Amino acid sequence: MSRPFVMNELETSGGAGELLPAAASDPEFLHALFDSIPCRAVVLDRDAVFRYANREFLDFAGQAGDTVIGRSLGEVLGEAVAQSYATLMERLLAGERVRREGWADYGPRGRRYVQETLTPWRHGGGPVAGVIAIVRDMTDLKANEAALQATEAYNAAIVSTALDGIVVIGDEGTVVDYNPAAEAIFGYPKAEVIGRSISDLIIPPEFRAAHAEGMKRYLTTGESRILGRRLQLEALRADSRRIPIELAITDVTRNGKPLFAAHMRDLTSEREASAEIERQREALYQKEKLAALGSLLAGVAHELNNPLAIVLGQATLLREILEEDDPATLDAAALAERCAKIENAANRCGRIVKSFLAMARQRKGEHQRVDIPELLADVVNLVGYNLRSSGVEVETEIAPALPVLIADRDQLHQVIVNLVVNAHQALDEKGGTDRRIRLKAACVTGGDAIEISVSDNGPGIPPAIRSRIFEPFFSTKPQGYGTGIGLAISRGLVETHGGTLELGEGEAPGATFLIRLPIAGIGENVGEPAPAKAARGKAPAPSRGTVLVVDDEKDIVELLTDMLRQLDFEVVSTQSGKAAIAMLGAMTAPPDAIICDIRMPDGDGPFFYGWLEANHPELLSRIVFLTGDSLGPSASRFLARSKSPSLEKPFSRADIATMLEDMMGRSRIG
């Protein structure tokens, strides 16, 4: 750059210039000084003609030094820029120093944000000879500030409109920020929570100590059990109501100041929706079960009428024999045989009713020991008449010594019944005389699962729909012959047991469905000897006790009394809940057990239970309820609430003995 001649005429006077008097008057030094500052520096004479320009200005103007010196401000930067300085030049030439900051238009070079210091200079103490201008260009800084402000505004907008509650807390656990979603979730306005401890606001009392300890541990050691994890827990609202939330905490420390952002989502609606979905699913399960039961109802009625005819006929003959024959000539063996026929027929009725009720009732899954051969036999008993009346042959093939599964017996029963009903409907479509359903059960290779297959020799399932048969509401049956959810429900029930339900290949024509259930954690072999049944007649006497029987059916009371006395219990009885309350007041010692019917006039089972709960809670563990109405909503709700054991009618002496054994913790009774 050519050296401006004006530099040779500059003189320093006073101030810091006296520290280097020789250097301050040296043009080389002055050039180096002005070129080193990160600002644009120029010297203009009274006519706004450039007398000096440093490297920063030349770079900005895109000019060389020899093309700037001696040219006017308008020639170098444009007339518009020169006009913007015209008023300032008047003030400067009058001796006023000017400082200003703001946006300035530099024509083709764009708008720039600048800080300017404009100083008039004199030569030898005379009038103002020109202006020294120092310009600091802050455009990039301002752009960054604007971007930062925009980012902060954007982030603030995101936080303020976020659906999740966001709470920022400091290292002392006090609230620093709190967005509108958090206000809606917890019920506190923002002004009320800022500066308050988060523990006092939303953390339940039993978790506050753990929260404080976790905060202290993280600030001391950097170790945390919850940072970066998604947790589900309870939180408190302003109205003291507890709500389920999902929580994720992030360390957002800024400028060395510990800060933690907690993102929280209220799970109340989600939990309610999940519960509603579960209720709807249960309703679909129940609808499918009732649809299957409807198709079986005629057969069940027939299956009940057959053994009931045996009970009625044999009991009538037995009474006539005892009334008409000479007691001395009675054949005890023949009488015992007739009694055995009555007992067997009654047991058959009981099994059919219990199987039907178990399939129809609504309750949560309950895992218990399941004997597969017995389960399949119950299925055949339930559907047998319908199949036989349609000319369908049922074959069973069960491998010996199958393990006993731990599973929900009613659910597995429902699945197999559904598959058999489907097979029956397929065979009805086929028609003809050779129609068969085969039930098979065996351990799979490796012995880690039991496989149950239900197959038929019907028309089979077309290849085009094999991949869709487990879809909910997909059905090939005519309207009114199914809901289309049976197979989907059946697969779901099997999968809750850790098993699978698939469509097998089988033998063509026909269809085969395979149920595979894992044997993990399963008990004894079916092939092991069963415990010996109690001998008829009087059982070995256990420790004596007293049983209170409460039932409005006189014959049931007499039956229970006879059974209990055969088991060496003393019996007191009454026919209503109110009468039982009076009897308890008259007894010198409380009964060892109470057997109470649920439905009775003048004080039913729930009424009596409520009185015991208020007056003798120690007796609640000794009560067992009888019911012949396990499908009734009131009975099922009461049993679920009380969690008391129950015994379904009809029952046997062995059932009574087992019930007392389980409840009283005695050695084997019966």
Side-chain angles (χ1 to χ4, degrees), residues 351-352 354-359 361 363-382 404-417 452 493 497 517:
R351 284 195 304 271
I352 293 171
K354 287 182 178 180
S355 179
F356 195 81
L357 292 178
M359 187 172 176
R361 68 166 56 94
R363 63 170 179 78
K364 294 292 184 182
E366 179 181 321
H367 284 64
Q368 56 186 311
R369 298 167 65 81
V370 179
D371 179 358
I372 296 301
E374 181 182 294
L375 175 66
L376 296 182
D378 285 349
V379 170
V380 173
N381 283 337
L382 186 63
V404 174
L405 291 174
I406 303 300
D408 187 293
R409 189 184 193 280
D410 291 348
Q411 290 181 354
L412 295 185
H413 183 275
Q414 176 187 344
V415 170
I416 298 171
V417 167
I452 302 170
L493 293 176
H497 289 77
L517 298 165

Short mmCIF file of all heavy atoms in Angstrom, two decimals, residues 351-352 354-359 361 363-382 404-417 452 493 497 517:
data_model
loop_
_atom_site.label_atom_id
_atom_site.label_comp_id
_atom_site.label_asym_id
_atom_site.label_seq_id
_atom_site.Cartn_x
_atom_site.Cartn_y
_atom_site.Cartn_z
N ARG A 351 -69.84 -83.03 36.85
CA ARG A 351 -68.70 -82.72 35.97
C ARG A 351 -69.15 -81.90 34.77
O ARG A 351 -68.47 -80.96 34.35
CB ARG A 351 -68.02 -84.01 35.52
CG ARG A 351 -67.17 -84.67 36.57
CD ARG A 351 -66.25 -85.72 35.95
NE ARG A 351 -66.98 -86.74 35.21
CZ ARG A 351 -67.45 -87.86 35.74
NH1 ARG A 351 -67.29 -88.10 37.04
NH2 ARG A 351 -68.09 -88.75 35.00
N ILE A 352 -70.30 -82.26 34.19
CA ILE A 352 -70.79 -81.52 33.02
C ILE A 352 -71.12 -80.08 33.40
O ILE A 352 -70.75 -79.13 32.70
CB ILE A 352 -72.02 -82.23 32.42
CG1 ILE A 352 -71.61 -83.60 31.84
CG2 ILE A 352 -72.67 -81.37 31.35
CD1 ILE A 352 -72.79 -84.46 31.43
N LYS A 354 -69.98 -78.31 35.96
CA LYS A 354 -68.77 -77.56 36.30
C LYS A 354 -67.96 -77.22 35.07
O LYS A 354 -67.40 -76.13 34.96
CB LYS A 354 -67.93 -78.36 37.29
CG LYS A 354 -68.53 -78.41 38.69
CD LYS A 354 -67.64 -79.17 39.67
CE LYS A 354 -68.24 -79.14 41.07
NZ LYS A 354 -67.42 -79.88 42.05
N SER A 355 -67.92 -78.15 34.12
CA SER A 355 -67.18 -77.87 32.89
C SER A 355 -67.85 -76.73 32.12
O SER A 355 -67.17 -75.83 31.60
CB SER A 355 -67.12 -79.13 32.03
OG SER A 355 -66.44 -78.88 30.83
N PHE A 356 -69.18 -76.76 32.07
CA PHE A 356 -69.92 -75.71 31.37
C PHE A 356 -69.73 -74.36 32.06
O PHE A 356 -69.48 -73.34 31.42
CB PHE A 356 -71.40 -76.10 31.34
CG PHE A 356 -72.22 -75.32 30.35
CD1 PHE A 356 -72.23 -75.66 29.02
CD2 PHE A 356 -72.98 -74.24 30.76
CE1 PHE A 356 -72.99 -74.96 28.09
CE2 PHE A 356 -73.74 -73.53 29.85
CZ PHE A 356 -73.75 -73.89 28.52
N LEU A 357 -69.82 -74.34 33.39
CA LEU A 357 -69.66 -73.09 34.14
C LEU A 357 -68.24 -72.56 34.03
O LEU A 357 -68.02 -71.35 33.92
CB LEU A 357 -70.02 -73.31 35.61
CG LEU A 357 -71.50 -73.59 35.91
CD1 LEU A 357 -71.69 -73.83 37.40
CD2 LEU A 357 -72.36 -72.44 35.45
N ALA A 358 -67.26 -73.45 34.07
CA ALA A 358 -65.86 -73.01 33.98
C ALA A 358 -65.59 -72.32 32.66
O ALA A 358 -64.84 -71.35 32.59
CB ALA A 358 -64.93 -74.21 34.15
N MET A 359 -66.23 -72.82 31.60
CA MET A 359 -66.02 -72.20 30.30
C MET A 359 -66.74 -70.87 30.20
O MET A 359 -66.27 -69.94 29.53
CB MET A 359 -66.50 -73.14 29.20
CG MET A 359 -66.17 -72.65 27.80
SD MET A 359 -66.57 -73.89 26.56
CE MET A 359 -66.18 -72.98 25.07
N ARG A 361 -67.68 -68.73 32.83
CA ARG A 361 -67.43 -67.69 33.83
C ARG A 361 -66.35 -66.72 33.36
O ARG A 361 -65.50 -67.04 32.55
CB ARG A 361 -67.01 -68.31 35.17
CG ARG A 361 -65.66 -68.99 35.15
CD ARG A 361 -65.19 -69.26 36.57
NE ARG A 361 -66.14 -70.05 37.34
CZ ARG A 361 -66.09 -71.38 37.45
NH1 ARG A 361 -65.14 -72.05 36.83
NH2 ARG A 361 -66.97 -72.02 38.17
N ARG A 363 -63.27 -64.54 34.72
CA ARG A 363 -62.35 -64.36 35.83
C ARG A 363 -60.94 -64.25 35.28
O ARG A 363 -60.68 -64.58 34.13
CB ARG A 363 -62.43 -65.52 36.81
CG ARG A 363 -62.02 -66.86 36.21
CD ARG A 363 -61.89 -67.91 37.29
NE ARG A 363 -61.54 -69.20 36.74
CZ ARG A 363 -60.32 -69.54 36.35
NH1 ARG A 363 -59.33 -68.67 36.41
NH2 ARG A 363 -60.07 -70.75 35.87
N LYS A 364 -60.05 -63.80 36.11
CA LYS A 364 -58.65 -63.71 35.73
C LYS A 364 -58.05 -65.12 35.63
O LYS A 364 -58.52 -66.06 36.26
CB LYS A 364 -57.86 -62.90 36.78
CG LYS A 364 -58.27 -61.44 36.85
CD LYS A 364 -57.86 -60.71 35.59
CE LYS A 364 -58.16 -59.23 35.69
NZ LYS A 364 -57.82 -58.50 34.46
N GLY A 365 -56.99 -65.20 34.81
CA GLY A 365 -56.32 -66.48 34.66
C GLY A 365 -55.78 -66.98 35.99
O GLY A 365 -55.28 -66.22 36.81
N GLU A 366 -55.91 -68.30 36.21
CA GLU A 366 -55.45 -68.91 37.46
C GLU A 366 -54.71 -70.19 37.12
O GLU A 366 -55.30 -71.16 36.65
CB GLU A 366 -56.66 -69.18 38.37
CG GLU A 366 -56.30 -69.84 39.68
CD GLU A 366 -57.54 -70.11 40.52
OE1 GLU A 366 -58.45 -69.26 40.54
OE2 GLU A 366 -57.60 -71.19 41.14
N HIS A 367 -53.40 -70.22 37.35
CA HIS A 367 -52.61 -71.38 37.00
C HIS A 367 -52.71 -72.44 38.09
O HIS A 367 -52.64 -72.12 39.28
CB HIS A 367 -51.15 -70.99 36.78
CG HIS A 367 -50.93 -70.30 35.47
ND1 HIS A 367 -51.50 -69.09 35.16
CD2 HIS A 367 -50.21 -70.67 34.37
CE1 HIS A 367 -51.15 -68.74 33.93
NE2 HIS A 367 -50.37 -69.67 33.44
N GLN A 368 -52.89 -73.67 37.66
CA GLN A 368 -53.00 -74.80 38.58
C GLN A 368 -52.51 -76.05 37.84
O GLN A 368 -52.14 -76.01 36.67
CB GLN A 368 -54.45 -74.97 39.01
CG GLN A 368 -55.41 -75.13 37.82
CD GLN A 368 -56.85 -75.16 38.25
OE1 GLN A 368 -57.20 -75.90 39.17
NE2 GLN A 368 -57.70 -74.36 37.61
N ARG A 369 -52.53 -77.16 38.53
CA ARG A 369 -52.09 -78.42 37.92
C ARG A 369 -53.18 -78.89 36.93
O ARG A 369 -54.35 -78.93 37.27
CB ARG A 369 -51.85 -79.47 39.00
CG ARG A 369 -50.75 -79.06 39.97
CD ARG A 369 -50.77 -79.94 41.21
NE ARG A 369 -50.44 -81.32 40.86
CZ ARG A 369 -49.20 -81.78 40.67
NH1 ARG A 369 -48.18 -80.95 40.77
NH2 ARG A 369 -48.98 -83.03 40.40
N VAL A 370 -52.75 -79.22 35.74
CA VAL A 370 -53.69 -79.64 34.69
C VAL A 370 -53.27 -81.01 34.18
O VAL A 370 -52.17 -81.18 33.63
CB VAL A 370 -53.73 -78.63 33.52
CG1 VAL A 370 -54.70 -79.12 32.45
CG2 VAL A 370 -54.12 -77.25 34.02
N ASP A 371 -54.16 -81.98 34.38
CA ASP A 371 -53.96 -83.34 33.86
C ASP A 371 -54.52 -83.38 32.44
O ASP A 371 -55.73 -83.26 32.23
CB ASP A 371 -54.70 -84.31 34.79
CG ASP A 371 -54.59 -85.76 34.34
OD1 ASP A 371 -53.97 -85.99 33.29
OD2 ASP A 371 -55.13 -86.65 35.03
N ILE A 372 -53.63 -83.50 31.44
CA ILE A 372 -54.05 -83.42 30.04
C ILE A 372 -55.07 -84.49 29.66
O ILE A 372 -56.09 -84.18 29.03
CB ILE A 372 -52.82 -83.47 29.11
CG1 ILE A 372 -51.93 -82.24 29.35
CG2 ILE A 372 -53.26 -83.50 27.65
CD1 ILE A 372 -52.61 -80.92 29.12
N PRO A 373 -54.88 -85.78 30.01
CA PRO A 373 -55.91 -86.77 29.67
C PRO A 373 -57.27 -86.42 30.26
O PRO A 373 -58.31 -86.57 29.60
CB PRO A 373 -55.36 -88.07 30.25
CG PRO A 373 -53.87 -87.87 30.27
CD PRO A 373 -53.69 -86.43 30.60
N GLU A 374 -57.29 -85.95 31.51
CA GLU A 374 -58.55 -85.57 32.14
C GLU A 374 -59.17 -84.37 31.43
O GLU A 374 -60.38 -84.30 31.23
CB GLU A 374 -58.30 -85.25 33.61
CG GLU A 374 -59.55 -84.86 34.38
CD GLU A 374 -59.22 -84.51 35.82
OE1 GLU A 374 -58.80 -85.42 36.57
OE2 GLU A 374 -59.35 -83.32 36.17
N LEU A 375 -58.32 -83.41 31.02
CA LEU A 375 -58.81 -82.23 30.31
C LEU A 375 -59.47 -82.63 28.99
O LEU A 375 -60.57 -82.16 28.66
CB LEU A 375 -57.65 -81.26 30.06
CG LEU A 375 -57.96 -80.02 29.21
CD1 LEU A 375 -58.92 -79.10 29.95
CD2 LEU A 375 -56.67 -79.28 28.85
N LEU A 376 -58.81 -83.48 28.23
CA LEU A 376 -59.38 -83.91 26.95
C LEU A 376 -60.66 -84.71 27.15
O LEU A 376 -61.61 -84.61 26.35
CB LEU A 376 -58.35 -84.72 26.17
CG LEU A 376 -57.07 -83.96 25.75
CD1 LEU A 376 -56.16 -84.87 24.95
CD2 LEU A 376 -57.43 -82.71 24.94
N ALA A 377 -60.71 -85.50 28.23
CA ALA A 377 -61.93 -86.26 28.52
C ALA A 377 -63.09 -85.31 28.82
O ALA A 377 -64.23 -85.55 28.38
CB ALA A 377 -61.69 -87.20 29.70
N ASP A 378 -62.81 -84.23 29.55
CA ASP A 378 -63.87 -83.26 29.84
C ASP A 378 -64.36 -82.58 28.57
O ASP A 378 -65.55 -82.29 28.42
CB ASP A 378 -63.35 -82.21 30.83
CG ASP A 378 -63.26 -82.74 32.25
OD1 ASP A 378 -63.79 -83.84 32.50
OD2 ASP A 378 -62.65 -82.07 33.11
N VAL A 379 -63.43 -82.30 27.66
CA VAL A 379 -63.83 -81.69 26.38
C VAL A 379 -64.77 -82.63 25.63
O VAL A 379 -65.81 -82.21 25.11
CB VAL A 379 -62.59 -81.35 25.53
CG1 VAL A 379 -63.01 -80.94 24.12
CG2 VAL A 379 -61.79 -80.23 26.18
N VAL A 380 -64.39 -83.90 25.57
CA VAL A 380 -65.22 -84.87 24.85
C VAL A 380 -66.58 -85.02 25.52
O VAL A 380 -67.62 -85.13 24.84
CB VAL A 380 -64.48 -86.22 24.77
CG1 VAL A 380 -65.40 -87.29 24.17
CG2 VAL A 380 -63.22 -86.09 23.92
N ASN A 381 -66.61 -85.01 26.87
CA ASN A 381 -67.89 -85.10 27.57
C ASN A 381 -68.80 -83.92 27.23
O ASN A 381 -70.01 -84.07 27.07
CB ASN A 381 -67.66 -85.12 29.09
CG ASN A 381 -67.19 -86.48 29.57
OD1 ASN A 381 -67.42 -87.50 28.92
ND2 ASN A 381 -66.51 -86.50 30.71
N LEU A 382 -68.20 -82.73 27.10
CA LEU A 382 -68.99 -81.53 26.85
C LEU A 382 -69.55 -81.51 25.43
O LEU A 382 -70.70 -81.11 25.21
CB LEU A 382 -68.14 -80.28 27.10
CG LEU A 382 -68.86 -78.94 27.03
CD1 LEU A 382 -69.93 -78.84 28.11
CD2 LEU A 382 -67.86 -77.79 27.19
N VAL A 404 -47.86 -83.39 34.22
CA VAL A 404 -48.96 -82.51 34.59
C VAL A 404 -48.52 -81.07 34.36
O VAL A 404 -47.53 -80.62 34.90
CB VAL A 404 -49.36 -82.72 36.07
CG1 VAL A 404 -50.41 -81.71 36.49
CG2 VAL A 404 -49.89 -84.14 36.27
N LEU A 405 -49.27 -80.33 33.54
CA LEU A 405 -48.92 -78.94 33.25
C LEU A 405 -49.33 -78.03 34.40
O LEU A 405 -50.29 -78.31 35.12
CB LEU A 405 -49.62 -78.46 31.98
CG LEU A 405 -49.17 -79.05 30.65
CD1 LEU A 405 -50.09 -78.57 29.55
CD2 LEU A 405 -47.75 -78.65 30.35
N ILE A 406 -48.62 -76.92 34.56
CA ILE A 406 -49.05 -75.83 35.42
C ILE A 406 -49.61 -74.76 34.49
O ILE A 406 -48.87 -74.07 33.79
CB ILE A 406 -47.89 -75.28 36.27
CG1 ILE A 406 -47.28 -76.40 37.10
CG2 ILE A 406 -48.38 -74.14 37.15
CD1 ILE A 406 -48.25 -77.06 38.06
N ALA A 407 -50.93 -74.63 34.45
CA ALA A 407 -51.56 -73.76 33.47
C ALA A 407 -52.95 -73.39 33.96
O ALA A 407 -53.41 -73.84 35.02
CB ALA A 407 -51.64 -74.46 32.10
N ASP A 408 -53.63 -72.54 33.19
CA ASP A 408 -55.02 -72.20 33.48
C ASP A 408 -55.90 -73.23 32.79
O ASP A 408 -56.05 -73.23 31.56
CB ASP A 408 -55.35 -70.78 32.99
CG ASP A 408 -56.73 -70.34 33.45
OD1 ASP A 408 -57.73 -70.94 32.98
OD2 ASP A 408 -56.81 -69.40 34.25
N ARG A 409 -56.50 -74.10 33.57
CA ARG A 409 -57.25 -75.21 33.01
C ARG A 409 -58.45 -74.73 32.19
O ARG A 409 -58.72 -75.25 31.11
CB ARG A 409 -57.74 -76.12 34.15
CG ARG A 409 -58.34 -77.44 33.67
CD ARG A 409 -58.87 -78.24 34.85
NE ARG A 409 -59.18 -79.60 34.44
CZ ARG A 409 -60.29 -79.96 33.80
NH1 ARG A 409 -61.17 -79.03 33.47
NH2 ARG A 409 -60.49 -81.22 33.47
N ASP A 410 -59.17 -73.72 32.72
CA ASP A 410 -60.36 -73.25 32.02
C ASP A 410 -60.01 -72.65 30.66
O ASP A 410 -60.73 -72.84 29.68
CB ASP A 410 -61.08 -72.20 32.87
CG ASP A 410 -61.71 -72.81 34.11
OD1 ASP A 410 -61.78 -74.05 34.19
OD2 ASP A 410 -62.12 -72.04 35.00
N GLN A 411 -58.89 -71.92 30.59
CA GLN A 411 -58.50 -71.32 29.32
C GLN A 411 -58.10 -72.39 28.30
O GLN A 411 -58.48 -72.31 27.12
CB GLN A 411 -57.37 -70.33 29.54
CG GLN A 411 -57.80 -69.07 30.28
CD GLN A 411 -56.68 -68.07 30.46
OE1 GLN A 411 -55.53 -68.35 30.13
NE2 GLN A 411 -57.00 -66.90 30.99
N LEU A 412 -57.32 -73.39 28.73
CA LEU A 412 -56.97 -74.47 27.80
C LEU A 412 -58.20 -75.24 27.37
O LEU A 412 -58.33 -75.64 26.20
CB LEU A 412 -55.96 -75.40 28.46
CG LEU A 412 -54.59 -74.82 28.79
CD1 LEU A 412 -53.67 -75.91 29.33
CD2 LEU A 412 -53.96 -74.15 27.58
N HIS A 413 -59.12 -75.45 28.31
CA HIS A 413 -60.38 -76.13 27.97
C HIS A 413 -61.12 -75.33 26.89
O HIS A 413 -61.63 -75.90 25.91
CB HIS A 413 -61.22 -76.24 29.24
CG HIS A 413 -62.51 -76.99 29.07
ND1 HIS A 413 -63.67 -76.39 28.62
CD2 HIS A 413 -62.83 -78.30 29.29
CE1 HIS A 413 -64.64 -77.29 28.57
NE2 HIS A 413 -64.16 -78.46 28.98
N GLN A 414 -61.18 -73.99 27.05
CA GLN A 414 -61.87 -73.15 26.07
C GLN A 414 -61.21 -73.27 24.70
O GLN A 414 -61.90 -73.36 23.67
CB GLN A 414 -61.84 -71.69 26.53
CG GLN A 414 -62.46 -70.74 25.52
CD GLN A 414 -62.27 -69.28 25.90
OE1 GLN A 414 -61.94 -68.98 27.04
NE2 GLN A 414 -62.46 -68.39 24.95
N VAL A 415 -59.88 -73.27 24.66
CA VAL A 415 -59.16 -73.34 23.38
C VAL A 415 -59.49 -74.64 22.66
O VAL A 415 -59.81 -74.66 21.46
CB VAL A 415 -57.65 -73.21 23.61
CG1 VAL A 415 -56.88 -73.53 22.33
CG2 VAL A 415 -57.30 -71.81 24.09
N ILE A 416 -59.41 -75.75 23.38
CA ILE A 416 -59.62 -77.06 22.73
C ILE A 416 -61.08 -77.22 22.30
O ILE A 416 -61.37 -77.73 21.21
CB ILE A 416 -59.17 -78.20 23.67
CG1 ILE A 416 -57.68 -78.05 23.98
CG2 ILE A 416 -59.44 -79.55 23.04
CD1 ILE A 416 -57.19 -78.98 25.06
N VAL A 417 -62.01 -76.76 23.16
CA VAL A 417 -63.43 -76.82 22.77
C VAL A 417 -63.65 -76.00 21.50
O VAL A 417 -64.36 -76.44 20.58
CB VAL A 417 -64.32 -76.30 23.91
CG1 VAL A 417 -65.75 -76.04 23.41
CG2 VAL A 417 -64.36 -77.31 25.05
N ILE A 452 -50.58 -80.85 21.71
CA ILE A 452 -51.95 -81.33 21.58
C ILE A 452 -52.43 -80.97 20.19
O ILE A 452 -52.33 -79.81 19.78
CB ILE A 452 -52.86 -80.69 22.64
CG1 ILE A 452 -52.34 -80.97 24.06
CG2 ILE A 452 -54.30 -81.18 22.48
CD1 ILE A 452 -53.06 -80.18 25.14
N LEU A 493 -54.66 -66.90 24.10
CA LEU A 493 -54.67 -67.64 25.37
C LEU A 493 -53.50 -68.60 25.45
O LEU A 493 -52.87 -68.74 26.51
CB LEU A 493 -55.99 -68.39 25.52
CG LEU A 493 -57.25 -67.52 25.69
CD1 LEU A 493 -58.50 -68.40 25.74
CD2 LEU A 493 -57.15 -66.68 26.95
N HIS A 497 -49.52 -68.60 27.94
CA HIS A 497 -48.89 -69.72 28.64
C HIS A 497 -47.48 -69.99 28.12
O HIS A 497 -46.86 -70.99 28.50
CB HIS A 497 -49.73 -70.99 28.48
CG HIS A 497 -51.02 -70.98 29.24
ND1 HIS A 497 -52.13 -70.28 28.82
CD2 HIS A 497 -51.37 -71.56 30.42
CE1 HIS A 497 -53.12 -70.46 29.70
NE2 HIS A 497 -52.68 -71.21 30.68
N LEU A 517 -47.26 -76.51 24.34
CA LEU A 517 -47.14 -75.86 25.65
C LEU A 517 -45.84 -76.29 26.32
O LEU A 517 -45.54 -77.49 26.37
CB LEU A 517 -48.33 -76.24 26.53
CG LEU A 517 -49.70 -75.80 26.01
CD1 LEU A 517 -50.81 -76.53 26.75
CD2 LEU A 517 -49.86 -74.30 26.17
#
